[in-house]
């Protein structure tokens, strides 16, 4: 047994099983006995123990001490291969943080597809106060006794996607917990298991190749917290982000773009102009070819805007889909000019001017990832290429067959298109670049524009920064950790159950992990549907201090969290609900969410506390809300 320590933290390593344990101030955590470090490769699956030569050693150095292991040589059907890597697990003397590093040394003979390491913790006791935290969308708390089994998360739990807004997870047993931060998240994710009723939840990390190779050191940081709850884990992560220089509050963003202030207290309206589904799209219904098709003149949207003004709506942001000639989700990035049948540039400018005359904000939907073969300027050379030379694609969306635009090219297209919008007199307050903060980073092996996933996020960020430099507020589909410095608002940042069919059992207790870290950094509109007499999304909007959707009219019904049905509300009833949410949002939009509490064990009663002293308490079962604090709305 090898041991290392630093400050008040200790680690130990079993050379026979390759399992680690760790302890801080008497709080001990061990990898579960069934776990085995392993790699899935093109040549088969290998345990670390399968290495032909294994060496372990204790190491003390200037920053702390730890245990270094080398695994060299693996036998495949072709014979012994020289593939070699190291692991280095060490305790930082100054902080007590524990770093797990997987380091490729020689990548020959084996083609790694996934590395499952570091290991999963023992967490097998049927207690409700033992719970796991996943950053799947807004956040999920899974008690070990939860009755519903956990399904596969969005994007298979890949970090920096809707499956993992933030690259961390944690577990708490009573008042003892740990926070696992993936320091190198660009090619990593988590996998979690919770059977119906428990009595356990297991969660671990995996790493995947970048452009066909493991290529670089992968790092996970564990912080043990002997006395904590999930609020403390979120505070610890916020401090980590701040230390990296990636915490950018709305106040800071408003210093650069003062119009950020105008989003506080806004009601959001999502409308479209033109929808058309191509015959070679998976959405196309040959029995009903006009399904999803729509053409609404810009002038009609003007009338609606003036109606909102007459109704007394003071602050509004109009998000406009399908404004380009090809129609929604067609021919990107060659989307200009403005839809001629709807009124062309003149009609679009008139709508924008009307929005501004009413004192509202205007923004467009746009897309710089889906690269449609029907685009007039389509060139396969600009698409993402896989290491084997193939070009991935599909025909899921309305525009039919598509590949993916290499993000290295996206800033050029953004500059081209938005320069033309400005030339046409379209004065934008905001712009939505679709899927950038929802989907995983792309990689491209083209020698002309080779790009890793990490570089992809940097290119996407460059698109946001260009818009900000032009005074245009940035938005995208959801939220993601990498985008916080340059993202002002999003389309939504929902709980995972909101994206499934209403009435589906919740796979844990929805908790606002993202907002506990980033509430004062990104503005989030919330769904406002009263789904049933037992479920009302408005209360989650209030609990999160979010902005309301006055209208959410997406291009694809029953997709992306939209659904038909629910409890019918009059126009006046819906507007009054939105006013209540908007009033709270205006008050707390720039405030930190200091604390969230589950006042009932099953999560039916919850409260949030904001940094200005506002406390929101909701009873989700009885559909009641209480807002307290100085000048509470």
């Amino acid at each position: 047994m090898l041991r290392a320590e630093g400050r008040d933290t200790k680690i130990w390593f079993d050379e026979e099983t390759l399992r680690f344990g760790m302890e801080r101030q008497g709080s001990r955590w061990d990898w579960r006995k069934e776990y085995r470090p392993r790699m899935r490769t093109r040549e088969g699956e290998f345990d670390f123990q399968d290495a032909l030569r294994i060496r372990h050693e204790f190491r003390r150095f200037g920053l702390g001490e730890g245990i270094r292991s080398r695994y060299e040589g693996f036998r495949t059907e072709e014979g012994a291969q020289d593939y070699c890597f190291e692991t280095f697990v060490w305790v930082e003397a100054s902080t007590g943080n524990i770093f797990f590093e997987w380091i490729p040394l020689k990548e020959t003979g084996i083609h790694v597809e996934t590395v499952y390491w570091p290991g999963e913790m023992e967490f097998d006791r049927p207690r409700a106060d033992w719970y796991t935290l996943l950053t799947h969308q807004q956040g999920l708390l899974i008690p070990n006794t939860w009755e519903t089994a956990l399904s596969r998360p969005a994007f298979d739990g890949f970090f920096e996607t809707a499956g993992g807004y933030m690259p961390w997870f944690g577990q708490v047993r009573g008042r003892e917990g740990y926070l696992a931060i993936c320091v190198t998240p660009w090619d990593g994710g988590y996998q979690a298991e919770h059977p119906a009723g428990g009595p356990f939840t297991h969660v671990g990390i995996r790493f995947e190749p970048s452009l066909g190779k493991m290529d670089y050191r992968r790092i996970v940081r564990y912080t043990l917290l002997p006395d904590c709850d999930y609020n403390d884990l979120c505070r610890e992560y916020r401090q980590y982000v701040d230390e990296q220089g990636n915490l950018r509050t709305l106040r800071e963003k408003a210093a650069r773009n003062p119009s950020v202030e105008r989003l506080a207290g806004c009601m959001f309206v999502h409308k479209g102009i033109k929808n058309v589904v191509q015959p070679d799209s998976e959405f196309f219904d040959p029995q009903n070819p006009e399904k999803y098709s729509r053409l609404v003149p810009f002038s009609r949207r003007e009338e609606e805007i003036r109606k909102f003004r007459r109704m007394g709506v003071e602050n509004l942001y109009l998000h406009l889909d399908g404004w380009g000639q090809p129609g929604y989700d067609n021919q990107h990035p060659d989307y200009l000019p403005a839809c001629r049948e709807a009124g062309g540039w003149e009609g679009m400018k008139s709508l924008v001017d009307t929005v501004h005359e009413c004192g509202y904000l205007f923004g467009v939907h746009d897309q710089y990832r889906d690269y449609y073969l029907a685009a007039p300027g389509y060139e396969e050379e600009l698409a993402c290429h896989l290491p084997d030379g193939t070009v991935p694609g599909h025909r899921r969306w309305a525009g039919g067959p598509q590949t993916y635009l290499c993000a290295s090219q996206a800033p050029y297209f953004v500059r081209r298109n938005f320069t033309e919008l400005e030339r046409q007199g379209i004065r934008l307050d905001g712009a939505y670049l679709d899927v950038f903060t929802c989907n995983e980073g792309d990689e491209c092996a083209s020698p002309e524009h080779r790009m890793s996933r990490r570089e992809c996020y940097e290119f996407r960020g460059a698109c946001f920064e260009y818009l900000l430099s032009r005074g245009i507020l940035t938005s995208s589909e959801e939220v993601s950790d990498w985008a916080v410095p340059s993202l002002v608002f999003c389309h939504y940042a929902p709980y995972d159950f909101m994206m499934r069919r209403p009435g589906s059992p919740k796979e844990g207790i929805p908790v606002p992990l993202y907002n506990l870290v980033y509430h004062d950094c990104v503005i989030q509109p919330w769904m406002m549907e009263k789904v049933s007499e037992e479920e009302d999304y408005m209360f989650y909007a209030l609990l999160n201090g979010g902005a309301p959707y006055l209208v959410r009219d997406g291009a694809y019904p029953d997709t992306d969290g939209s659904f038909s049905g629910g409890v019918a509300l009059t126009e006046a009833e819906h507007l009054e609900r939105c006013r209540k949410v908007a009033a709270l949002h205006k008050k707390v939009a720039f405030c930190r969410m200091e604390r969230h509490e589950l006042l009932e064990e099953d999560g039916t009663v919850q409260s949030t506390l904001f940094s200005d002293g506002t406390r929101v308490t909701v009873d989700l079962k009885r559909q009641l809300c209480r807002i307290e604090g100085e000048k509470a709305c």
Side-chain angles (χ1 to χ4, degrees), residues 18 25 127 202 219 254 287 296 380 402 404 478 482 513 536 566 597 599 629:
L18 307 184
Q25 297 176 10
R127 291 183 53 168
H202 296 147
I219 307 171
Q287 305 304 316
V296 179
E380 188 173 280
Q402 65 155 94
Y404 298 108
E478 299 193 40
W482 67 267
L513 301 180
D536 189 340
E597 293 182 278
L599 303 180

PDB file of all heavy atoms in Angstrom, residues 18 25 127 202 219 254 287 296 380 402 404 478 482 513 536 566 597 599 629:
ATOM      1  N   LEU A  18      -5.341  -1.625  -7.845  1.00  0.00           N
ATOM      2  CA  LEU A  18      -5.228  -0.318  -8.492  1.00  0.00           C
ATOM      3  C   LEU A  18      -6.328   0.642  -8.038  1.00  0.00           C
ATOM      4  O   LEU A  18      -6.662   1.601  -8.731  1.00  0.00           O
ATOM      5  CB  LEU A  18      -5.260  -0.444 -10.028  1.00  0.00           C
ATOM      6  CG  LEU A  18      -4.256  -1.422 -10.646  1.00  0.00           C
ATOM      7  CD1 LEU A  18      -4.346  -1.369 -12.169  1.00  0.00           C
ATOM      8  CD2 LEU A  18      -2.837  -1.131 -10.184  1.00  0.00           C
ATOM      9  N   GLN A  25      -9.716  15.145   7.206  1.00  0.00           N
ATOM     10  CA  GLN A  25     -10.297  15.416   8.515  1.00  0.00           C
ATOM     11  C   GLN A  25     -11.259  14.308   8.944  1.00  0.00           C
ATOM     12  O   GLN A  25     -12.356  14.567   9.436  1.00  0.00           O
ATOM     13  CB  GLN A  25     -11.009  16.765   8.518  1.00  0.00           C
ATOM     14  CG  GLN A  25     -10.074  17.941   8.259  1.00  0.00           C
ATOM     15  CD  GLN A  25     -10.811  19.265   8.177  1.00  0.00           C
ATOM     16  OE1 GLN A  25     -11.996  19.360   8.489  1.00  0.00           O
ATOM     17  NE2 GLN A  25     -10.103  20.309   7.762  1.00  0.00           N
ATOM     18  N   ARG A 127     -30.025   5.464   1.962  1.00  0.00           N
ATOM     19  CA  ARG A 127     -30.358   6.618   2.786  1.00  0.00           C
ATOM     20  C   ARG A 127     -30.661   7.815   1.891  1.00  0.00           C
ATOM     21  O   ARG A 127     -29.941   8.090   0.930  1.00  0.00           O
ATOM     22  CB  ARG A 127     -29.194   6.959   3.726  1.00  0.00           C
ATOM     23  CG  ARG A 127     -28.957   5.931   4.805  1.00  0.00           C
ATOM     24  CD  ARG A 127     -27.856   6.341   5.743  1.00  0.00           C
ATOM     25  NE  ARG A 127     -28.062   7.691   6.295  1.00  0.00           N
ATOM     26  CZ  ARG A 127     -27.351   8.185   7.307  1.00  0.00           C
ATOM     27  NH1 ARG A 127     -26.401   7.447   7.870  1.00  0.00           N
ATOM     28  NH2 ARG A 127     -27.576   9.405   7.737  1.00  0.00           N
ATOM     29  N   HIS A 202     -23.800   5.351  -8.668  1.00  0.00           N
ATOM     30  CA  HIS A 202     -22.385   5.350  -9.022  1.00  0.00           C
ATOM     31  C   HIS A 202     -22.154   6.331 -10.166  1.00  0.00           C
ATOM     32  O   HIS A 202     -22.928   6.368 -11.124  1.00  0.00           O
ATOM     33  CB  HIS A 202     -21.921   3.951  -9.445  1.00  0.00           C
ATOM     34  CG  HIS A 202     -22.000   2.948  -8.343  1.00  0.00           C
ATOM     35  ND1 HIS A 202     -22.289   1.613  -8.554  1.00  0.00           N
ATOM     36  CD2 HIS A 202     -21.852   3.083  -6.993  1.00  0.00           C
ATOM     37  CE1 HIS A 202     -22.286   0.965  -7.404  1.00  0.00           C
ATOM     38  NE2 HIS A 202     -22.033   1.842  -6.439  1.00  0.00           N
ATOM     39  N   ILE A 219      -6.948  15.606 -16.613  1.00  0.00           N
ATOM     40  CA  ILE A 219      -6.843  15.911 -15.189  1.00  0.00           C
ATOM     41  C   ILE A 219      -8.231  16.032 -14.560  1.00  0.00           C
ATOM     42  O   ILE A 219      -9.118  16.680 -15.114  1.00  0.00           O
ATOM     43  CB  ILE A 219      -6.073  17.232 -14.953  1.00  0.00           C
ATOM     44  CG1 ILE A 219      -4.727  17.217 -15.671  1.00  0.00           C
ATOM     45  CG2 ILE A 219      -5.873  17.482 -13.461  1.00  0.00           C
ATOM     46  CD1 ILE A 219      -4.016  18.560 -15.656  1.00  0.00           C
ATOM     47  N   ALA A 254     -22.336  44.325 -18.595  1.00  0.00           N
ATOM     48  CA  ALA A 254     -23.059  45.572 -18.821  1.00  0.00           C
ATOM     49  C   ALA A 254     -22.112  46.757 -18.909  1.00  0.00           C
ATOM     50  O   ALA A 254     -22.434  47.764 -19.567  1.00  0.00           O
ATOM     51  CB  ALA A 254     -24.074  45.790 -17.703  1.00  0.00           C
ATOM     52  N   GLN A 287     -47.245  12.293 -46.710  1.00  0.00           N
ATOM     53  CA  GLN A 287     -48.699  12.279 -46.646  1.00  0.00           C
ATOM     54  C   GLN A 287     -49.269  13.645 -46.285  1.00  0.00           C
ATOM     55  O   GLN A 287     -50.452  13.905 -46.468  1.00  0.00           O
ATOM     56  CB  GLN A 287     -49.158  11.239 -45.608  1.00  0.00           C
ATOM     57  CG  GLN A 287     -48.621   9.837 -45.844  1.00  0.00           C
ATOM     58  CD  GLN A 287     -48.966   9.318 -47.228  1.00  0.00           C
ATOM     59  OE1 GLN A 287     -50.096   9.475 -47.692  1.00  0.00           O
ATOM     60  NE2 GLN A 287     -47.998   8.700 -47.901  1.00  0.00           N
ATOM     61  N   VAL A 296     -45.371  33.927 -42.484  1.00  0.00           N
ATOM     62  CA  VAL A 296     -46.022  35.040 -41.779  1.00  0.00           C
ATOM     63  C   VAL A 296     -45.333  36.325 -42.201  1.00  0.00           C
ATOM     64  O   VAL A 296     -44.122  36.462 -42.042  1.00  0.00           O
ATOM     65  CB  VAL A 296     -45.931  34.864 -40.254  1.00  0.00           C
ATOM     66  CG1 VAL A 296     -46.585  36.045 -39.534  1.00  0.00           C
ATOM     67  CG2 VAL A 296     -46.568  33.551 -39.819  1.00  0.00           C
ATOM     68  N   GLU A 380     -17.559  21.363 -49.540  1.00  0.00           N
ATOM     69  CA  GLU A 380     -17.230  20.297 -48.605  1.00  0.00           C
ATOM     70  C   GLU A 380     -15.896  20.536 -47.914  1.00  0.00           C
ATOM     71  O   GLU A 380     -15.683  20.104 -46.782  1.00  0.00           O
ATOM     72  CB  GLU A 380     -17.213  18.945 -49.328  1.00  0.00           C
ATOM     73  CG  GLU A 380     -17.071  17.769 -48.378  1.00  0.00           C
ATOM     74  CD  GLU A 380     -17.214  16.431 -49.075  1.00  0.00           C
ATOM     75  OE1 GLU A 380     -18.367  16.027 -49.324  1.00  0.00           O
ATOM     76  OE2 GLU A 380     -16.170  15.820 -49.378  1.00  0.00           O
ATOM     77  N   GLN A 402     -27.126  17.741 -44.485  1.00  0.00           N
ATOM     78  CA  GLN A 402     -26.185  18.726 -43.976  1.00  0.00           C
ATOM     79  C   GLN A 402     -24.927  18.045 -43.470  1.00  0.00           C
ATOM     80  O   GLN A 402     -24.927  16.856 -43.159  1.00  0.00           O
ATOM     81  CB  GLN A 402     -26.800  19.514 -42.823  1.00  0.00           C
ATOM     82  CG  GLN A 402     -27.101  18.644 -41.593  1.00  0.00           C
ATOM     83  CD  GLN A 402     -27.123  19.429 -40.307  1.00  0.00           C
ATOM     84  OE1 GLN A 402     -28.167  19.872 -39.870  1.00  0.00           O
ATOM     85  NE2 GLN A 402     -25.954  19.584 -39.687  1.00  0.00           N
ATOM     86  N   TYR A 404     -21.303  19.528 -41.001  1.00  0.00           N
ATOM     87  CA  TYR A 404     -21.055  20.502 -39.952  1.00  0.00           C
ATOM     88  C   TYR A 404     -19.972  21.462 -40.423  1.00  0.00           C
ATOM     89  O   TYR A 404     -18.893  21.037 -40.847  1.00  0.00           O
ATOM     90  CB  TYR A 404     -20.613  19.822 -38.651  1.00  0.00           C
ATOM     91  CG  TYR A 404     -21.670  18.894 -38.089  1.00  0.00           C
ATOM     92  CD1 TYR A 404     -21.506  17.512 -38.143  1.00  0.00           C
ATOM     93  CD2 TYR A 404     -22.828  19.401 -37.515  1.00  0.00           C
ATOM     94  CE1 TYR A 404     -22.479  16.659 -37.640  1.00  0.00           C
ATOM     95  CE2 TYR A 404     -23.808  18.558 -37.016  1.00  0.00           C
ATOM     96  CZ  TYR A 404     -23.622  17.187 -37.076  1.00  0.00           C
ATOM     97  OH  TYR A 404     -24.587  16.349 -36.587  1.00  0.00           O
ATOM     98  N   GLU A 478     -28.692  26.850 -25.157  1.00  0.00           N
ATOM     99  CA  GLU A 478     -28.719  26.591 -23.726  1.00  0.00           C
ATOM    100  C   GLU A 478     -27.525  27.311 -23.109  1.00  0.00           C
ATOM    101  O   GLU A 478     -27.163  28.404 -23.563  1.00  0.00           O
ATOM    102  CB  GLU A 478     -28.748  25.088 -23.444  1.00  0.00           C
ATOM    103  CG  GLU A 478     -30.002  24.426 -24.037  1.00  0.00           C
ATOM    104  CD  GLU A 478     -30.275  23.019 -23.551  1.00  0.00           C
ATOM    105  OE1 GLU A 478     -30.073  22.752 -22.344  1.00  0.00           O
ATOM    106  OE2 GLU A 478     -30.687  22.173 -24.378  1.00  0.00           O
ATOM    107  N   TRP A 482     -18.020  26.856 -20.761  1.00  0.00           N
ATOM    108  CA  TRP A 482     -16.993  27.528 -21.537  1.00  0.00           C
ATOM    109  C   TRP A 482     -17.462  28.890 -22.046  1.00  0.00           C
ATOM    110  O   TRP A 482     -16.652  29.790 -22.291  1.00  0.00           O
ATOM    111  CB  TRP A 482     -16.579  26.676 -22.747  1.00  0.00           C
ATOM    112  CG  TRP A 482     -17.648  26.499 -23.787  1.00  0.00           C
ATOM    113  CD1 TRP A 482     -18.544  25.477 -23.883  1.00  0.00           C
ATOM    114  CD2 TRP A 482     -17.962  27.398 -24.863  1.00  0.00           C
ATOM    115  NE1 TRP A 482     -19.389  25.676 -24.950  1.00  0.00           N
ATOM    116  CE2 TRP A 482     -19.062  26.842 -25.573  1.00  0.00           C
ATOM    117  CE3 TRP A 482     -17.423  28.612 -25.306  1.00  0.00           C
ATOM    118  CZ2 TRP A 482     -19.617  27.464 -26.690  1.00  0.00           C
ATOM    119  CZ3 TRP A 482     -17.989  29.234 -26.413  1.00  0.00           C
ATOM    120  CH2 TRP A 482     -19.067  28.660 -27.093  1.00  0.00           C
ATOM    121  N   LEU A 513     -28.294  23.812  -9.760  1.00  0.00           N
ATOM    122  CA  LEU A 513     -26.840  23.815  -9.606  1.00  0.00           C
ATOM    123  C   LEU A 513     -26.200  24.884 -10.486  1.00  0.00           C
ATOM    124  O   LEU A 513     -25.270  25.578 -10.059  1.00  0.00           O
ATOM    125  CB  LEU A 513     -26.276  22.436  -9.955  1.00  0.00           C
ATOM    126  CG  LEU A 513     -26.801  21.260  -9.118  1.00  0.00           C
ATOM    127  CD1 LEU A 513     -26.145  19.959  -9.583  1.00  0.00           C
ATOM    128  CD2 LEU A 513     -26.572  21.487  -7.640  1.00  0.00           C
ATOM    129  N   ASP A 536     -46.662  23.079 -12.664  1.00  0.00           N
ATOM    130  CA  ASP A 536     -46.705  24.423 -13.238  1.00  0.00           C
ATOM    131  C   ASP A 536     -45.271  24.941 -13.338  1.00  0.00           C
ATOM    132  O   ASP A 536     -44.605  25.162 -12.327  1.00  0.00           O
ATOM    133  CB  ASP A 536     -47.541  25.343 -12.345  1.00  0.00           C
ATOM    134  CG  ASP A 536     -47.820  26.699 -12.990  1.00  0.00           C
ATOM    135  OD1 ASP A 536     -47.081  27.073 -13.922  1.00  0.00           O
ATOM    136  OD2 ASP A 536     -48.759  27.382 -12.549  1.00  0.00           O
ATOM    137  N   GLY A 566     -51.911  20.937 -21.921  1.00  0.00           N
ATOM    138  CA  GLY A 566     -51.760  21.615 -20.649  1.00  0.00           C
ATOM    139  C   GLY A 566     -53.032  22.335 -20.257  1.00  0.00           C
ATOM    140  O   GLY A 566     -54.075  22.230 -20.915  1.00  0.00           O
ATOM    141  N   GLU A 597     -32.618  25.536  -0.874  1.00  0.00           N
ATOM    142  CA  GLU A 597     -32.929  24.554   0.171  1.00  0.00           C
ATOM    143  C   GLU A 597     -34.127  23.717  -0.217  1.00  0.00           C
ATOM    144  O   GLU A 597     -35.082  24.220  -0.833  1.00  0.00           O
ATOM    145  CB  GLU A 597     -33.227  25.261   1.499  1.00  0.00           C
ATOM    146  CG  GLU A 597     -32.037  25.962   2.104  1.00  0.00           C
ATOM    147  CD  GLU A 597     -32.394  26.592   3.437  1.00  0.00           C
ATOM    148  OE1 GLU A 597     -32.953  27.706   3.419  1.00  0.00           O
ATOM    149  OE2 GLU A 597     -32.110  25.970   4.481  1.00  0.00           O
ATOM    150  N   LEU A 599     -37.070  22.090   1.453  1.00  0.00           N
ATOM    151  CA  LEU A 599     -37.770  22.177   2.730  1.00  0.00           C
ATOM    152  C   LEU A 599     -38.625  20.946   2.998  1.00  0.00           C
ATOM    153  O   LEU A 599     -39.117  20.766   4.108  1.00  0.00           O
ATOM    154  CB  LEU A 599     -38.617  23.448   2.763  1.00  0.00           C
ATOM    155  CG  LEU A 599     -37.813  24.748   2.524  1.00  0.00           C
ATOM    156  CD1 LEU A 599     -38.739  25.964   2.574  1.00  0.00           C
ATOM    157  CD2 LEU A 599     -36.680  24.887   3.524  1.00  0.00           C
ATOM    158  N   GLY A 629     -38.503  39.761   1.391  1.00  0.00           N
ATOM    159  CA  GLY A 629     -37.310  40.578   1.280  1.00  0.00           C
ATOM    160  C   GLY A 629     -37.683  42.020   1.096  1.00  0.00           C
ATOM    161  O   GLY A 629     -38.823  42.355   0.756  1.00  0.00           O
TER     162      GLY A 629
END
